[in-house]
Amino acid sequence: MQSVELQIVQGLLGLLSLAGTAGVAYVVPKVKTFMDARLSSEQATVANSVIDGLGNIAEAVVQEFNQKVVASAKQYGTFTPTLAQSVKQDAIEAVMSQGSGLIALGGEALGDVQKLVSSLIEKAVAENHIPTQQNSAG
């Protein structure tokens, strides 16, 4: 049981590198919640912590990809369904890589983690949608 606790704490604290100072306010209560509830609902807590952690990573990845790829492509009219699918796949791979510790921890409890990550990416995209802009240069 201590091994699972250590993995959760390490996984959640790893989010601090992505979230910066604001992440402390998020991560610390999650760690405390886990410690308080581990005896009665360890699997549910693990699953919720993994989902929350991967959701935060997905949010950060989508924001970064929006800044680096999507906004420019939409501005210049080069954002196509093919590019959108490619960016989404790259985002999934980035979340899977950055959240590998959480994925290892939650894989058994959550099942198809890649499908979960894909859903979290979709949610983050919807929350951070960049409208298509008309290129007025001409």
Side-chain angles (χ1 to χ4, degrees), residues 71-80 132-135:
S72 178
K74 285 189 174 184
Q75 180 180 358
Y76 294 106
T78 59
F79 193 75
T80 64
T132 302
Q133 300 174 358
Q134 295 296 327
N135 185 359

Side-chain angles (χ1 to χ4, degrees), residues 89-138:
Q89 188 57 44
D90 289 347
I92 290 170
E93 290 172 15
V95 172
M96 299 286 283
S97 174
Q98 292 177 27
S100 62
L102 290 169
I103 290 168
L105 179 63
E108 187 176 312
L110 297 172
D112 188 350
V113 177
Q114 186 162 352
K115 188 178 280 186
L116 168 65
V117 169
S118 180
S119 296
L120 292 170
I121 296 279
E122 292 287 340
K123 179 179 182 266
V125 167
E127 292 172 353
N128 295 280
H129 179 70
I130 296 176
T132 302
Q133 300 174 358
Q134 295 296 327
N135 185 359
S136 58

Side-chain angles (χ1 to χ4, degrees), residues 9-56:
V9 172
Q10 288 173 340
L12 291 173
L13 294 178
L15 293 174
L16 291 176
S17 65
L18 289 174
T21 306
V24 174
Y26 174 79
V27 173
V28 172
K30 287 293 179 187
V31 172
K32 289 179 182 177
T33 298
F34 171 74
M35 294 302 182
D36 290 343
R38 76 182 192 281
L39 296 175
S40 60
S41 59
E42 183 175 313
Q43 285 293 82
T45 302
V46 169
N48 287 331
S49 296
V50 169
I51 291 168
D52 290 345
L54 291 175
N56 283 343

